[in-house]
């Protein structure tokens, strides 16, 4: 998959260094994936939650952080919409966050 907005990951781990290893692992797994639908994502990330508009919420670093991404299965693209702590996540609407 092509990962768009990797800079969001880098920005986050720059201020939260403990997240870097887990975010890099998520990036590598998502980049190597060839997801054709939600079942494929679930196979790779069993705790992923699916919401409207082909968005997926990933638990990162043992659920310490959250990542929201929009997945375009046809074009093999993953757009990172949000990455943050649980407190950050509680302040957003994952269905509309840009």
């Amino acid at each position: 998959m092509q990962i768009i907005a990797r800079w969001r990951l880098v920005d986050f781990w720059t201020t939260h260094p403990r997240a870097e290893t887990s975010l890099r692992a998520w990036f590598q797994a998502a980049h190597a994936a060839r997801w054709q639908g939600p079942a494929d994502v679930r196979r790779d990330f069993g705790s992923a939650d699916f919401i409207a508009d082909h968005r997926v919420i990933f638990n990162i670093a043992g659920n310490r952080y959250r990542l929201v991404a929009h997945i375009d299965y046809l074009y093999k693209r993953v757009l990172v919409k949000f990455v943050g702590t649980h407190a950050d996540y509680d302040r957003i609407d994952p269905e509309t966050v840009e």
Side-chain angles (χ1 to χ4, degrees):
M1 305 293 283
Q2 178 186 14
I3 312 299
I4 301 169
R6 182 178 181 269
W7 63 267
R8 290 182 201 263
L9 305 178
V10 175
D11 280 357
F12 187 76
W13 78 51
T14 298
T15 57
H16 297 85
R18 290 175 152 195
E20 182 175 0
T21 301
S22 296
L23 286 172
R24 284 183 182 274
W26 176 88
F27 178 89
Q28 292 298 336
H31 181 68
R34 295 294 174 252
W35 297 324
Q36 294 182 8
D40 295 330
V41 177
R42 177 76 68 192
R43 180 193 66 230
D44 293 343
F45 294 94
S47 64
D49 293 318
F50 300 88
I51 57 175
D53 190 32
H54 299 281
R55 290 181 183 222
V56 182
I57 302 165
F58 295 93
N59 295 319
I60 304 295
N63 205 21
R64 280 185 230 131
Y65 309 106
R66 294 275 176 95
L67 185 149
V68 178
H70 175 272
I71 301 177
D72 186 322
Y73 299 104
L74 180 63
Y75 292 102
K76 305 294 183 214
R77 292 187 182 131
V78 177
L79 174 57
V80 177
K81 295 284 195 171
F82 168 87
V83 60
T85 65
H86 272 277
D88 297 333
Y89 177 80
D90 288 342
R91 290 189 295 269
I92 63 141
D93 179 351
E95 292 184 4
T96 60
V97 68
E98 291 298 321

